[in-house]
Amino acid sequence: MPETKKTPALSTWKKTGFIATVLILLAFPLYLIRAHFSNTGTRGTQQESAVYVGGDKCIDCHPHEYHDWHGSDHDRAMDSATEQSVRGNFNHALFVDRKGDTSLFYKQDNKFFVHTKGPGGKPGDFRIAYTFGTRPLQQYLVPFDGGRLQCLPIAWDTIRHSWFSLPDSIYKNENLTPDNWLYWTNNGQNWNGMCADCHSTNLKKGYDPDKHTYHTTWTDIDVNCEACHGPGSEHIKWANLPEMDRPKNTNYGLTVNTSKIDPVEEVKQCARCHARRSVMGDFTPDDFHKDMLDYMIPQLLNAPHYFSDGQILDEDYVYGSFTQSYMYQEHLRVTCSDCHNVHSLKTILPVDDNQLCLQCHRADVYDTYEHTYHKKAGEPGKPLVLDHGKKVVKVGEGAKCVNCHMPGRYYMGVDFRRDHSLRIPRPDLSVKYGTPNACNQCHTDKSPRWADSWIRKWYGPSRRHHYGEVLARGRKGDPAALDSLILIIHDILHPVIVRATAVTLLQNYPPQKSFEAVKSALSDPESIIREAAVRSLPALSPEKFKEALLPMLNDPVKAVRIQAAFRLSSLPRRQIDGKYQKTFDKAIKEYEESMRYMGDFASSRHNLGVLFSNLGQINNAIANYKEAIRIDNLFFPAKINLSLLYNQTGKNDQAEKMLLDVIRHEPDFDQGYYYLGLLEAEKKQYNKALTYLLEAARRMPEYTRINYNLSLLYQQLGKKKEAEIYLQKCLKAEPDNFDYLYAAATYYLKMGDNAKAKKYAVRLSEKYPNNPAGQNILNLLTKK
């Protein structure tokens, strides 16, 4: 679309980043750290033909393992709603939430029901089909048409033995109206897509993105033996052979040899569910032996999921925090089973008296007052009483290893989960960056400065370097942090997940300064770093962009190559070299299949909309953006991109309506005002454009492009003084920007100020010698 008086058309939105893919980050698994490209899982020789048979086939031969597992959180991850499995009070129990809405829990014909508000906010009676989890809360699943199971918004607190509202606990600042994505009958609380794959064994989602229906199946309703050991049919064949006839080289017919598994592979096994990630398809037996990024993509240490120093903020499910820890690093490789019984999931030794930690750490050094500076339980002292007696910290809490090195947060209202990054308390970082620290988790009445003063008194003033300082500054785009971020990326002594996060933070820096660093990360042995680099590579120029990303289409790891294909889809197909076109098409198909698998999420529909828009399939793009909005009416990236397509197809009134809807629902979405200003300028509604652009400039003073647009707009309105003021603001912020130099030269040429016009034309020629624009203006001045 042509520009009007040099006012950028809406195609310039691509510079804002909304055209980038949106990762679908769900509440579970992450990736495995590897030091090579090959996939070398610990496997048996029969796994290709093995099928799932059900955990009950394992009990006779493995009674001790079954005894440990029976009644565990894995055993009770999900169950049919029965008298034995349901823990909540369904004896005509009445519950009233903070809005005053009442729900009644009751039984009828040996089935469990709730009378509560349902679809559209209308009251109704709903049958409880399944229990979900067991401690410290139990949730309940209600069946709906299309194979959907929805999570009831009221859960049972199994510690306090009472009902409580999850929205009241989790979404206090959300207005959960029935059209909100998070309302309990909508997709945000859908079991099939949000929760199912980590609570049952051999789960197949079975989502039909065209019919919006599910046919979800499982082998075992809970997390059973084969969830970790793989399908067991070949193992049973092996076990049924006479002992003398059993082959010696088949790994007992097991898909995964967990008894000989190395620490990295073991963590990978657990991380498939105990990590926050996006998935690309159903988990299959073959995936046990692949790189983790062949079937899922981890959440890195970015906001809003982590604090800037890597501590947990939103739910991370352990993996993202644990892989930051000193214990996990290569020289130690502490793993899950060093602390947890893999079948019962309980810690192998008590935590309260530090015995779990003292199996490795010397008691005479670390379990002493000289180390903790806190009294142990049973020693004389007074408890810490806070908040007028509402919070009491008993004597001895400060001497527990986990309270200082594994502080936690509450999730799901009542579920206290500890941070597994196992870090040293750093109140000094709290002072600098607002991150939490263990000291103030107990001493809530004191400040981080107070806590830091005691740390200095006890342990001295020196502090180890912490990557969190660099990540915190990188989040803000601090120019002084750029070199440190690049050092972290290339330093193999830093945790891999930290290095990958540092790659993504380079997006906050000018492309000219970050391109080479991101490009170098494309060849890193770690797949998560390569994926982050593909996602973060700036489009410095089409040739450099293409040269860097085309080889990534052949990456052995799925997440890397499909992200490369997606990024390359923004280029015209003719720019994809012939030898890469088949590989490109194959990776594009993989990407599309992955997004369709997650097609019940607005994020993936948005991603498909971006893909089809890039490929020139405008109708498909519009259809997917509309579907994203149908799924989540507040998912504004889809609305932004849909308005862009409306603009490109000449439907500016529809584009305007969509943008107005965005700022109505998201009044703090600052860029929405900018987009509206550009659109109104294109519609020649200059006064409206001025209103929106001035508001955008007020909201985003650091975004100098708005000043450029305002200068052009004031020129259009004949307000020369204002046009010059905003033009000079641009040049002050970015004195070598091509557009700003060209605008200044042409502006002063029109104003008849040949001296200033020459000044900027000369600078334009010097800074951009391969572009004739500056010389053309100088030629015009010479003719005058």
Side-chain angles (χ1 to χ4, degrees), residues 215 274 285 747:
H215 180 66
H274 290 275
Y747 170 79

Side-chain angles (χ1 to χ4, degrees), residues 124-135:
D125 294 280
F126 303 95
R127 180 174 65 87
I128 305 298
Y130 301 100
T131 63
F132 205 61
T134 186
R135 68 170 184 90

Side-chain angles (χ1 to χ4, degrees), residues 209-225:
D210 299 316
K211 297 179 180 178
H212 314 306
T213 59
Y214 296 92
H215 180 66
T216 306
T217 62
W218 58 71
T219 298
D220 282 305
I221 195 172
D222 50 19
V223 180
N224 218 301
C225 309

